[in-house]
């Protein structure tokens, strides 16, 4: 993604708006160039303010050595450029997004009231976690990157697909392997649990279809900030919970309604990731909430969805005669609000990762509190 910079010329605008070419030496002091074995560093003084400010273009590739190998493996921003295809394939699946799905399976198993710490039940839950996390979440993230390749060419051109680090044919192959692997795990779980109706398989199939229409045209649910983010929230909260509960017990209508309500908090979490893509979303006509309402209003929609949803769930638990669980959930909301003001509301782009790392552990603990409340 290193952009090709011409050190001899700079472009400015005259007062009548026509472009003109100006020698860089008239605008900047001599650039200092330092070489090392690993990288080239260029430092230049500020431009003359009388000539106007020229914003740097987004680089075509990440600066060599400028990223983290750990971030690359997790599939988050700040990743180092990688040539190893298996590491690139792992990056496309974004392992950092797996834990909420794995946790959802834990919550569903807990809510079933029928999970026991036996070798068989633990093995079942591990296979269910593999289905929900590496396979189907990996499928979701890979197919999302595939259909977002044009947007990523604007927002994050150094990502594996727009940068050419992996071919589109290789990505399509990965999509099919992950999808079939996840559906295969679901079928095995139904047989293992002795289900006469393959409920886990149909949940996996439905979730996979939802992932596809979220990212792919012509529906491309993500084009609408409300529908797309709620679908994403339901995929991360409701579906793995349903799979875990159906595996060990019975999925009941009240649990379906409760988890769909909790998915409104997932909608808020999904909005967090939209702020970094405002430029590309606007260019591609995607009506994410930060694009539709502006960044300032979208910040408050985001935290409102997260906080009001959890407070409503706490009220439900209190009304259901579970006051201690309700108080525990309220106690877990307090640090989330603190970190919202500490990080997210100050700058949702700069602090998005720090905010999520700080606040989301309390949200997922609240999910478990709710699951345990429904199991008793």
């Amino acid at each position: 993604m290193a952009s090709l910079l011409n050190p001899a010329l700079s472009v400015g605008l005259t007062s009548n708006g026509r472009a003109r070419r100006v020698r860089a030496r008239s605008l900047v002091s001599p650039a200092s160039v330092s070489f090392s074995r690993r990288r080239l560093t260029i430092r230049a003084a500020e431009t003359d303010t009388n000539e106007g400010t020229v914003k740097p273009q987004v680089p075509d590739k990440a600066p060599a050595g400028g990223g983290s190998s750990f971030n690359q493996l997790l599939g988050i921003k700040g990743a180092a450029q990688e040539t190893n295809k298996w590491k690139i394939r792992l990056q496309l699946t974004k392992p950092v997004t797996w834990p909420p799905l794995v946790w959802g399976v834990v919550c569903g198993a807990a809510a079933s009231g029928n999970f026991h710490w036996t070798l068989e039940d633990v093995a079942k839950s591990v296979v269910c976690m593999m289905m929900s996390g590496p396979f189907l979440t990996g499928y979701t993230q890979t197919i999302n990157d595939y259909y977002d390749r044009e947007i990523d060419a604007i927002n994050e051109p150094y990502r594996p697909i727009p940068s050419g680090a992996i071919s589109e044919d290789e990505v399509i192959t990965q999509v099919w392997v992950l999808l079939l692997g996840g559906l295969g795990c679901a079928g095995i779980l139904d047989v293992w649990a002795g289900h006469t109706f393959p409920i886990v398989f149909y949940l996996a199939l439905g979730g996979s279809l939802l992932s596809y229409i979220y990212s792919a045209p012509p529906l491309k649910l993500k084009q609408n900030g409300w529908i797309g983010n709620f679908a994403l929230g339901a995929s991360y909260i409701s579906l793995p919970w349903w799979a875990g509960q159906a595996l060990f017990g019975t999925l009941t209508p009240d649990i379906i309604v409760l988890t769909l309500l909790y998915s409104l908090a997932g909608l808020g979490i999904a909005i967090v990731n939209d702020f970094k893509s405002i430029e590309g979303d606007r260019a591609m006509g995607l009506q994410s909430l930060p694009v539709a309402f502006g960044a300032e209003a979208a910040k408050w929609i985001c935290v409102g969805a997260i906080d009001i949803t959890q407070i409503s769930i706490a009220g439900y638990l209190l009304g259901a005669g579970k006051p201690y669980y309700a108080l525990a959930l309220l106690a877990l909301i307090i640090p989330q609000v603190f970190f919202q003001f500490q990080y997210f509301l100050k700058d949702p782009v700069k602090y998005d990762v720090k905010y999520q790392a700080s606040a989301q552990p309390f949200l997922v603990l609240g999910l478990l509190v709710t699951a345990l409340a429904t199991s008793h």
Side-chain angles (χ1 to χ4, degrees):
M1 294 178 299
S3 59
L4 184 61
L5 301 177
N6 187 339
L9 296 174
S10 173
V11 179
L13 292 176
T14 61
S15 59
N16 60 10
R18 289 174 299 188
R20 60 185 175 83
R21 235 175 247 282
V22 184
R23 287 281 172 183
R25 287 194 183 93
S26 66
L27 300 179
V28 300
S29 61
S32 63
V33 183
S34 61
F35 292 86
S36 68
R37 188 175 68 173
R38 292 182 63 92
R39 65 184 179 184
L40 165 67
T41 305
I42 301 178
R43 299 182 178 87
E46 294 180 355
T47 60
D48 188 335
T49 55
N50 294 329
E51 294 295 337
T53 302
V54 179
K55 292 183 179 180
Q57 293 182 343
V58 178
D60 295 328
K61 290 186 178 180
S68 163
S69 296
F70 183 69
N71 287 10
Q72 187 274 327
L73 291 175
L74 290 179
I76 59 179
K77 67 182 182 180
Q81 291 300 101
E82 184 57 65
T83 57
N84 183 296
K85 278 294 169 66
W86 288 106
K87 289 184 178 181
I88 292 171
R89 290 186 182 280
L90 182 63
Q91 181 181 0
L92 283 174
T93 66
K94 295 185 182 176
V96 73
T97 63
W98 301 350
L101 282 294
V102 170
W103 190 255
V105 172
V106 172
C107 292
S112 74
N114 199 35
F115 175 84
H116 304 285
W117 287 100
T118 63
L119 182 60
E120 182 180 13
D121 279 4
V122 170
K124 284 180 184 177
S125 64
V126 169
V127 174
C128 194
M129 291 172 185
M130 290 291 293
M131 175 196 74
S132 301
F135 280 110
L136 294 183
T137 306
Y139 153 80
T140 299
Q141 296 295 346
T142 304
I143 201 170
N144 186 62
D145 266 28
Y146 177 78
Y147 284 106
D148 270 3
R149 59 193 186 278
E150 293 180 358
I151 297 177
D152 286 342
I154 299 171
N155 292 325
E156 300 175 279
Y158 45 82
R159 288 198 57 76
I161 300 175
S163 69
I166 188 170
S167 71
E168 292 182 12
D169 287 343
E170 290 172 314
V171 175
I172 292 171
T173 300
Q174 175 164 321
V175 166
W176 278 107
V177 168
L178 293 172
L179 174 60
L180 294 176
L183 294 178
C185 286
I188 291 170
L189 288 170
D190 279 319
V191 173
W192 198 348
H195 292 157
T196 54
F197 177 80
I199 185 171
V200 178
F201 177 82
Y202 279 110
L203 286 173
L205 186 62
S208 301
L209 177 61
L210 182 62
S211 297
Y212 179 79
I213 64 175
Y214 172 81
S215 299
L219 293 179
K220 199 161 189 172
L221 299 181
K222 67 187 298 179
Q223 291 182 116
N224 182 288
W226 293 109
I227 298 174
N229 285 333
F230 181 75
L232 193 62
S235 298
Y236 272 74
I237 292 177
S238 298
L239 283 172
W241 182 315
W242 295 349
Q245 183 154 349
L247 180 61
F248 293 102
T250 303
L251 184 58
T252 56
D254 60 321
I255 290 296
I256 292 175
V257 172
L258 181 66
T259 51
L260 285 175
L261 176 60
Y262 227 129
S263 296
L264 291 172
L267 179 149
I269 295 170
I271 297 172
V272 174
N273 296 313
D274 288 338
F275 287 91
K276 65 183 179 184
S277 305
I278 292 177
E279 181 183 347
D281 289 348
R282 185 179 289 118
M284 300 302 296
L286 300 183
Q287 287 297 303
S288 66
L289 295 186
V291 171
F293 293 94
E296 189 63 29
K299 289 191 301 187
W300 291 100
I301 294 172
C302 174
V303 299
I306 294 172
D307 298 340
I308 293 173
T309 297
Q310 293 178 93
I311 292 171
S312 300
I313 296 293
Y316 166 81
L317 295 178
L318 184 62
K322 309 292 177 69
Y324 296 112
Y325 289 103
L327 288 173
L329 183 55
L330 288 173
L332 290 168
I333 298 172
I334 294 172
Q336 294 177 62
V337 174
F338 171 79
F339 288 121
Q340 286 163 1
F341 281 93
Q342 180 74 15
Y343 297 123
F344 181 72
L345 292 172
K346 287 183 179 179
D347 191 332
V349 177
K350 180 179 180 181
Y351 295 118
D352 63 335
V353 174
K354 185 174 287 188
Y355 162 68
Q356 293 187 76
S358 303
Q360 283 197 22
F362 296 99
L363 185 143
V364 298
L365 283 173
L367 278 170
L368 183 59
V369 167
T370 305
L372 291 171
T374 60
S375 71
H376 291 83

